[in-house]
Amino acid sequence: MQAIVGVAVRKACSDLFSAVLTDGQLQLQKTRKEFPGHFTVVVFPLTKISKLSPEATGELLGNYMVEQVPYVSAFNVVKGFLNVSMSQDFWSGFFTEALANARFGFAQEASGSHVMVEYSSPNTNKPLHLGHLRNNFLGYSVSEILKAVGHRVTKVQIINDRGIHICKSMVAWKNFGNGETPETSGLKGDKLVGKYYVEFDKAHKAQMKELVATGMDEERAAQQTSVMQQAQEMLRLWEARDKETIELWTMMNSWVYEGFTSTYQAMGVNFDKLYYESNTYINGKEEVEKGLAAGAFFKKEDGSIWVDLTDEGLDQKALLRKDGTAMYITQDIGTAILRFHDFPDLAYQIYTVGNEQEYHFKVLFKVLKKLGFEKADQCYHLSYGMVELPEGKMKSREGTVVDADDLMEEMAAVAHEVSAEQGKLEGLPEVEKKQLYHTIGMAALKYFLLRVDPKKNMLFNPKESIDFNGNTGPSVQYTFVRTRAILRRYAEANAGFDASKVMPTGHAMSEAELDVVAKIYEWPSVLELAAASYNPADVAHYCYDLAKLYNAFYQDHQIVREANEGARHFRLALTHKTGEVIRQGMSLLGIAMPDRM
RNA sequence: GGUCCCGUAGCUCAGUUGGAUAGAGCAGCAGAUUUCUAAUCUGCGGGUCAGGGGUUCGAAUCCCUUCGGGAUCACCA
């Protein structure tokens, strides 16, 4: 569509100056709102070929376009900027088209690309916290956005179910648990296991203190506590597939998975396939051995295997310990390759992981490349910044973790309070109310975490996140609810509402109406940009802007009560379409729209 | 010390490949048919885009540099 103007400018330059424009010379943008017009051509780059002043060039082009190009109704030149206005016909034509397309903005056909998105990927010894919320919402949202532009997406996570950290919880449970289970304790499975992880730490610290009191140095004491010794023994037994150990491990992990499942359900995220580190680390070892045989890696005297990335500007990096056991990166190599085997048509993988692991992924992708995976060049680390709290940084060690379940519950509770104050939900069944509070609370949380550029560290202010005014999820929901209320009102008086029966015909749009239509016009390009930059924040801001413009329109236009049929139908259609775009846009953020609130 | 990211209004954040007088929300102040849902709308005040230099018709945006904040540089995960 913007193409219409672009093509026109190219043709004008060819006709007027007999010059072919390069992409750099053709600069089109939306006209700033303080100037009349819809699209703006930046004429500075064109003065070189016109050999005229910017103003004269603009005038010449403007005149040509008004005369020669359909839909261009007027123009003005300010300094070096040519602002062109499109006719009402153009906008109503566009709107009619958009209205007929229920999935306007979404790809009409598959792109043919298959992308894998990994997110969440928790450890099994700790419950999910605020940082995981940003991770999950981001990963889920990017997946949905990629689907919207036509890609096939497979959502996965790698579950870090192996290693010393799991053994710690196991040891503590064995020593102090007295056979406690989620059933007997009434605790969620992941919370119960997390509790024993903390118990381990307590016991470990206490025993360390005793050892240090006997004159042992701290470093040694940390290795020598009885619980630590037990944990290491447990890891050895696990690797040796000791029956009893594996049974305990399986049982405690199943508790965790049950807990995670309910947390994911509350979050509204899901996965197409799960990978377990306990399976993939073996692949990793094999791949590293293969790479060694193929000459991609080298072995040090002590038997450890390394990759040399110094000519890539990186360092040497160990891939396998001297005792032959797997490291963190070993299992990631195995997992990545396994995935390419599982899905041979995979174009690339996206890893949603915190920015503290940027170096790790740089190394990983180089290693994959060395192993012959050309697709590794396309792999992408979707890196995001830390979520900080007003009091200070969010780190699990510092005890200021905000538990994911607790936070989600709190958000729903606040939604409850605010809704009760508003008093608009009378007559709604209790079950639906409860569902609604969750929907609103999650909208607040998700929108707050997703509206910030992923790569930036962000501040999570609990108080502000639950403010339902302003640039927030609930305020966008509210605008959607408003569109529903209006259409409902119309339907009651007119035996239903059918969008296809209220086509706008010959209505001269007001400025506020045109603002909304022009915003809807932007939707496809916003979606494209969000997909290209893996940035849900673009979608969030767009939905808010659209809602804001609709509210401004709503403020001084009659809709259902409008006497003129043409205007009434146009506004009903606009209300319908705005609601749809908001609903579809917000759904890409994983945010649901209620019918009333 | 090396590498990477960030620094925009009192606070939280936007700002496409360099474009016009740098924008929203919150907080503050002043207003609006008490409705087709006011969880809204309109207006006002608030800025050395961290500092300095450079590139050019034009810089918050690109380059150099200084300062400040964060991350990372394990045979940890």
Side-chain angles (χ1 to χ4, degrees), chain A residues 207-494:
Chain A
Q207 292 175 4
M208 246 182 90
K209 214 171 163 186
E210 285 171 26
L211 290 177
V212 170
T214 67
M216 192 182 284
D217 67 272
E218 285 212 13
E219 206 170 307
R220 208 175 113 94
Q223 292 301 317
Q224 292 297 322
T225 65
S226 144
V227 286
M228 185 59 86
Q229 292 281 310
Q230 289 178 55
Q232 269 156 6
E233 174 59 13
M234 182 121 8
L235 184 59
R236 276 189 288 276
L237 286 170
W238 185 89
E239 297 239 356
R241 299 269 129 196
D242 172 67
K243 188 161 173 278
E244 197 188 320
T245 306
I246 296 285
E247 270 170 17
L248 176 60
W249 175 76
T250 306
M251 178 177 75
M252 289 183 74
N253 270 346
S254 75
W255 295 345
V256 173
Y257 299 148
E258 216 179 296
F260 282 175
T261 300
S262 89
T263 304
Y264 287 138
Q265 199 181 357
M267 284 183 191
V269 303
N270 50 43
F271 304 90
D272 300 310
K273 189 169 168 67
L274 305 183
Y275 286 87
Y276 295 89
E277 186 188 328
S278 56
N279 295 328
T280 64
Y281 82 102
I282 299 169
N283 285 70
K285 284 200 215 179
E286 288 169 6
E287 295 296 340
V288 171
E289 294 288 353
K290 272 194 235 167
L292 180 67
F297 310 138
F298 69 96
K299 195 174 226 170
K300 287 202 175 172
E301 283 175 8
D302 61 8
S304 54
I305 299 178
W306 292 68
V307 62
D308 186 356
L309 297 170
T310 46
D311 47 351
E312 306 263 11
L314 300 175
D315 221 333
Q316 293 191 347
K317 170 84 188 167
L319 302 178
L320 209 56
R321 294 197 188 93
K322 65 182 169 207
D323 61 4
T325 56
M327 305 169 60
Y328 180 55
I329 192 154
T330 320
Q331 68 87 13
D332 262 359
I333 294 168
T335 309
I337 292 175
L338 190 61
R339 287 169 178 170
F340 280 125
H341 284 315
D342 284 351
F343 301 94
D345 65 332
L346 214 55
Y348 58 100
Q349 304 185 32
I350 292 173
Y351 292 83
T352 314
V353 183
N355 61 9
E356 71 274 8
Q357 296 200 30
E358 263 162 24
Y359 185 76
H360 170 77
F361 280 102
K362 250 186 224 167
V363 172
L364 176 65
F365 298 155
K366 299 276 186 213
V367 167
L368 290 174
K369 185 82 186 295
K370 274 189 182 288
L371 285 172
F373 286 84
E374 294 303 320
K375 293 161 177 173
D377 277 340
Q378 309 298 316
C379 285
Y380 183 75
H381 174 203
L382 176 53
S383 162
Y384 61 90
M386 298 199 88
V387 182
E388 287 163 23
L389 291 171
E391 311 87 67
K393 274 182 40 194
M394 255 270 321
K395 276 234 164 146
S396 51
R397 309 185 202 102
E398 289 160 19
T400 47
V401 278
V402 176
D403 179 80
D405 293 316
D406 292 351
L407 182 58
M408 289 192 285
E409 242 174 70
E410 196 189 316
M411 297 302 288
V414 175
H416 187 161
E417 267 172 48
V418 176
S419 299
E421 263 171 49
Q422 297 288 329
K424 292 177 184 173
L425 298 176
E426 280 153 36
L428 210 61
E430 239 4 87
V431 192
E432 281 181 41
K433 276 192 195 170
K434 213 179 153 214
Q435 176 61 44
L436 185 56
Y437 301 147
H438 181 256
T439 303
I440 297 171
M442 289 305 288
L445 189 55
K446 288 184 181 183
Y447 190 92
F448 197 89
L449 291 176
L450 287 175
R451 61 168 234 232
V452 181
D453 185 338
K455 71 169 182 280
K456 289 188 177 176
N457 285 3
M458 67 173 292
L459 190 74
F460 179 76
N461 185 332
K463 245 190 236 155
E464 214 173 288
S465 76
I466 49 189
D467 186 346
F468 292 163
N469 289 308
N471 189 352
T472 66
S475 85
V476 177
Q477 282 180 320
Y478 185 78
T479 303
F480 174 80
V481 164
R482 171 178 276 164
T483 67
R484 304 297 290 187
I486 291 165
L487 296 178
R488 198 159 50 228
R489 180 62 61 106
Y490 176 85
E492 278 162 14
N494 296 277

